[in-house]
Amino acid sequence: MAGQAAPNTSAHTGERRPHRKSRAGCLECRRRRIKCTEDKPQCKACVRHSVPCAYREVVPPRNTTASHTHPTRRTIGSQLESSRYSATNVSSPSGSVDLTTSTLRSISAYASDAPDVFAQATISDLRLLHHWTSVTCGSLGVSKTVEHCWRHVIPRIGFEYPFLLHALLSLAALHLAHLGDGASNDLTLRASQHHASAVRGFCECIQQMRPEAAEARFACASTQLLYVFGMFSSRGDDTAIDAGMSDRRRRCLGEDWIPMVRGLGAILSPAYDIISAGELGTMLTMGNWHTRDLEALEYEEDARFRSLAAAWHGDSDAKVYDDALLGLRKGFAFMQQFKDAQGNLTSADTGNGFASGPTAWLHSVGEVYFRLLRHRQPPALLIWAHYAVLLHVIDDVWFMKGWAYDTVIVVDDLLGDAWARWMKWPKHVCGVL
């Protein structure tokens, strides 16, 4: 009829309207895979969600005619491959490692499409490297021997494998942003660019699984974990970079980064003997994690952990929850031995010290528990809220700041009043009450 708009046929056919994809959107909108208004200095989505808005740099074309004889051992000025990888099986000297697509997807989820930023070493890069060796290395909460690895050994390996150097500089930039350098958005952008290049080179290195690159893969994987925590830690304004409650829940429940942590462990396991026998062997040291006698300890907190088992009494998955709870008790007891008489954390003589407690628990718990957590079963969520108690112990470490608080907030919101009795202690410890 005249005067009426033409019917929308796409709504009846079930087809989506085509839309022009933009390659100029900000990094946050690209990460969330949403349309960006491309307003500068801040797009409307970032303004609405009160998150930093950063755009990738426009890098001039580079000369790509130079040939390379080794795909991962390159000079600082070489161009890293930009393709993403989705291999499902990787050959290694120890046999075949089942590398699931979801693991690589978890790794790549925190990388932007930013170009390689080592076309030339810049003053900015040198500044980041200086900050890494002089400041960031001393802020990781590790022993002196492991700090030596981060400060001296790993950068040396990074000059042979540039993707590792990218990983170090991404963390240095993130640390500077956390310290409130005054150019937080620029530093966050720089961190994401270096991280994107690190991920590309790391995925390439995983595909090849060369034994001589084992230490570079291990160090880069460790750095990527710190990057994920640091990117979403609370900053100077006590806010974390989240785009909404849905994203916050995914982050705090580990839906993206837990598969990455556990998957990278499987990827690196064939090279365990090589790494443990090399200069980075001390980074694998777990001290008395396996021998610490829980029954001989008298912690008020341990009684709190043990009482939690009553919450799932008679549940068909009680054995799964019991095992996860035992791991939490072990992790907390392991971390307590690094406290001095005033209750302050101190560095260990060797190994990763107190910082390894939370990550060791992630590797020790069976996959069934994490499946229950993904399905948001109340007992699994309760255990996860008590895991936040371990995270709270290291809340003073800059890349962990705010994680415990946010985790408890999310779990408490999901569980509601019916489970308030069991949430009271973790809420008190993490400062939610």
Side-chain angles (χ1 to χ4, degrees), residues 26 28-29 32 34-55 185 242-243:
C26 74
E28 177 63 18
C29 288
R32 299 180 59 216
I34 63 174
K35 182 176 177 60
C36 182
T37 60
E38 301 178 21
D39 297 322
K40 296 181 179 180
Q42 286 188 298
C43 73
K44 292 180 180 178
C46 290
V47 170
R48 185 168 64 253
H49 295 295
S50 300
V51 298
C53 183
Y55 292 83
N185 282 0
D242 276 319

Side-chain angles (χ1 to χ4, degrees), residues 365-384:
V365 178
E367 184 60 34
V368 176
Y369 166 76
F370 290 107
R371 175 173 56 81
L372 294 169
L373 179 63
R374 288 193 298 272
H375 293 166
R376 300 183 179 179
Q377 295 299 306
L381 289 171
L382 281 176
I383 290 175
W384 192 247

Side-chain angles (χ1 to χ4, degrees), residues 7-24:
N8 184 356
T9 57
S10 64
H12 297 288
T13 60
E15 297 179 357
R16 282 188 172 184
R17 289 186 178 183
H19 65 277
R20 180 177 60 85
K21 292 184 178 180
S22 172
R23 298 183 180 277

Side-chain angles (χ1 to χ4, degrees), residues 87-92 95-99 205-209 267:
T88 57
N89 197 62
V90 179
S91 298
S92 73
S96 179
V97 179
D98 182 29
L99 176 55
C205 193
I206 287 177
Q207 278 201 323
Q208 299 170 7
M209 275 298 193
I267 293 170

Side-chain angles (χ1 to χ4, degrees), residues 249-267:
R249 284 178 175 175
R250 287 184 59 85
R251 170 179 70 87
C252 291
L253 295 180
E255 293 183 16
D256 292 321
W257 57 267
I258 288 177
M260 181 183 74
V261 174
R262 293 171 63 83
L264 290 176
I267 293 170

